[in-house]
Amino acid sequence: IQPMPIAKAMSTSPTLPLQLKFDPLPSTATASDQSEASPAEYPQFILFGDSITQFGTSVLQPCLQSHYIRRLDVINRGLSGFTSLMGLRALQRLLPLDTQSSSWPHIKLITIFFGANDACIPGEYQHVSLQSYVEAIRDTIRYPVLQQQGSRKTQIILITPPPVNEHQFERMPSGNFLRRAGITSQYARAAAEVGKVTGVAVLDFWTILMRKVGWKESMGRECCCEHIPCRIITTQPANTTKVQHIPGCCCFASSSPVADCQLSDFLTDGLHLTELGYDVLSQELMELIQREMPECAPENLPFILPEWRDVLNVPKP
C-alpha cells in the first residue's frame, strides 16, 4: 500500500472550527484581540519547607501533581538548610505583598513544613529557640498573602517535623548528636499547638511515624537523653528516678521492645525521608485534605481547560 502524499493528506484532513468551545473570542477576532486574551492560569499548591520538602521532587511532588493534574500546579519551594526564621524571610521574597493582586495565580493550598533544622541542639548555627520557632511559624501562617478570603482564599496545612533517629547519626567530637530525639519531639508538639491556636489544619507527622514504630501516647514524649551523658528524670517521691526513652533515642533499643518496623525504614540518614517515608507523607496529606478541606479535594476541583470531547463538541459515549 502506497502512503498518501503529505500534501494530499493535509488537503483531505477535516477542518476544525475556528471557534472551539473554550475559546471566549469570536471567530473574527484579530491578532490584537488574541494578544489581550487572559491566559489560562492554574491555581497553585505550594510545598514550602526545608530540605525534607526540597528532596520531595521524586516522590512527594509527583504524587500530589498526579492527583491534581489539570486542576492545580504543585510547586516545590523547599529550601535545604532553612529554619522557620529563614523561611519567614524567604516567604516575603517568594510571595511579596502585591501577590494579593488578581494578576498573580491563586494559591489554593500551601504546606508549611519547618522545624527539623530549628531543633538542632543549642549552640549550633541553625538552632532556633523553641519560643522563636513558635513565633516564626505563627507569623508565617498569618502572612497577609496567605490570609486572603473569598475566591482567593488559601488553605494552609502545617506539618510538624518528623522524628529523628539517633541510631543513624554520627556523634560530634563533643560526644553529642547534632539533633536529639527528645528535642525534636518538643518542636513537633509546639508546631501542633501553633496550628491549633491559629486554626489551620495540622498534619502531625511526628506522631504518625512514631506510631508506626510502636510508640504510644502513654509512653510520653519526653526523653532523658537530650544531652550527653543521659539526664535522669527525677520523679516523686524525690528519692526515685525514672529513665525514659522514646523511639529514635540512642538508648531506646536497649530499653524498649522493637516494633515491626523501625524509624530507619522511613528515614535515610536519621533526618531525611526514604521513599517509604514520602509515600506515607503523601498519603496522609491527601487523607487530611479529603477529611478537613473536601472542597480542595481533586474530585471537587474543575479542570482549568475542558476535556477534548467538550472542546470538539463530541458526544460522550
Side-chain angles (χ1 to χ4, degrees):
I1 300 175
Q2 294 296 323
M4 182 182 294
I6 294 178
K8 183 177 181 180
M10 293 178 64
S11 65
T12 59
S13 61
T15 302
L16 295 179
L18 292 177
Q19 182 180 3
L20 300 178
K21 190 171 183 179
F22 63 78
D23 187 354
L25 298 175
S27 58
T28 57
T30 65
S32 175
D33 294 329
Q34 292 284 358
S35 66
E36 296 176 1
S38 299
E41 291 184 342
Y42 280 68
Q44 295 181 345
F45 184 166
I46 297 180
L47 308 177
F48 184 49
D50 51 35
S51 59
I52 300 177
T53 296
Q54 179 178 323
F55 299 164
T57 53
S58 61
V59 180
L60 175 63
Q61 184 180 359
C63 178
L64 296 175
Q65 187 62 81
S66 177
H67 285 291
Y68 283 101
I69 195 68
R70 299 187 65 173
R71 295 176 170 90
L72 299 177
D73 278 342
V74 179
I75 311 294
N76 189 314
R77 290 292 179 263
L79 302 164
S80 179
F82 271 47
T83 65
S84 60
L85 288 172
M86 299 164 70
L88 178 59
R89 290 195 292 270
L91 188 64
Q92 297 164 4
R93 297 286 303 278
L94 294 171
L95 302 175
L97 292 180
D98 62 0
T99 308
Q100 299 176 79
S101 167
S102 59
S103 62
W104 284 74
H106 173 205
I107 303 170
K108 188 77 172 179
L109 289 153
I110 187 171
T111 58
I112 300 173
F113 192 7
F114 290 97
N117 296 315
D118 302 66
C120 288
I121 63 174
E124 292 298 319
Y125 287 112
Q126 293 168 297
H127 173 75
V128 173
S129 71
L130 192 60
Q131 182 60 37
S132 295
Y133 171 69
V134 166
E135 293 171 358
I137 293 297
R138 179 200 61 201
D139 291 346
T140 300
I141 292 170
R142 293 177 177 174
Y143 187 60
V145 175
L146 304 181
Q147 290 298 317
Q148 300 179 77
Q149 299 299 319
S151 62
R152 292 184 64 83
K153 181 177 181 180
T154 298
Q155 291 285 5
I156 299 173
I157 302 173
L158 179 60
I159 307 176
T160 72
V164 298
N165 187 17
E166 296 174 12
H167 293 278
Q168 295 175 271
F169 292 160
E170 292 185 5
R171 293 187 186 273
M172 299 185 295
S174 64
N176 207 342
F177 297 112
L178 181 60
R179 295 172 175 83
R180 302 310 308 262
I183 294 177
T184 298
S185 73
Q186 296 174 23
Y187 284 72
R189 178 161 52 186
E193 285 297 317
V194 173
K196 182 178 180 181
V197 170
T198 56
V200 301
V202 176
L203 183 65
D204 190 349
F205 198 39
W206 187 93
T207 297
I208 289 169
L209 290 188
M210 290 289 276
R211 284 177 175 165
K212 289 183 178 296
V213 297
W215 176 86
K216 298 179 181 179
E217 198 71 44
S218 59
M219 297 170 62
R221 293 171 177 257
E222 301 297 327
C223 185
C224 70
C225 293
E226 293 177 12
H227 305 284
I228 297 292
C230 291
R231 173 173 58 83
I232 304 299
I233 300 176
T234 303
T235 60
Q236 296 298 327
N239 61 348
T240 64
T241 59
K242 176 185 178 183
V243 179
Q244 180 172 311
H245 305 289
I246 58 176
C249 166
C250 61
C251 298
F252 178 76
S254 61
S255 63
S256 303
V258 178
D260 292 336
C261 57
Q262 301 178 7
L263 283 175
S264 57
D265 295 330
F266 305 103
L267 304 173
T268 61
D269 55 3
L271 173 66
H272 299 100
L273 300 181
T274 61
E275 183 174 336
L276 177 60
Y278 279 118
D279 283 340
V280 173
L281 178 57
S282 303
Q283 180 180 345
E284 293 288 342
L285 268 174
M286 291 308 303
E287 290 181 1
L288 181 145
I289 291 170
Q290 294 277 358
R291 182 175 65 250
E292 300 192 27
M293 47 192 75
E295 70 279 8
C296 293
E299 63 271 17
N300 294 327
L301 296 177
F303 278 5
I304 301 305
L305 293 174
E307 296 186 30
W308 72 270
R309 291 181 183 276
D310 294 330
V311 174
L312 299 178
N313 293 315
V314 176
K316 294 183 178 180

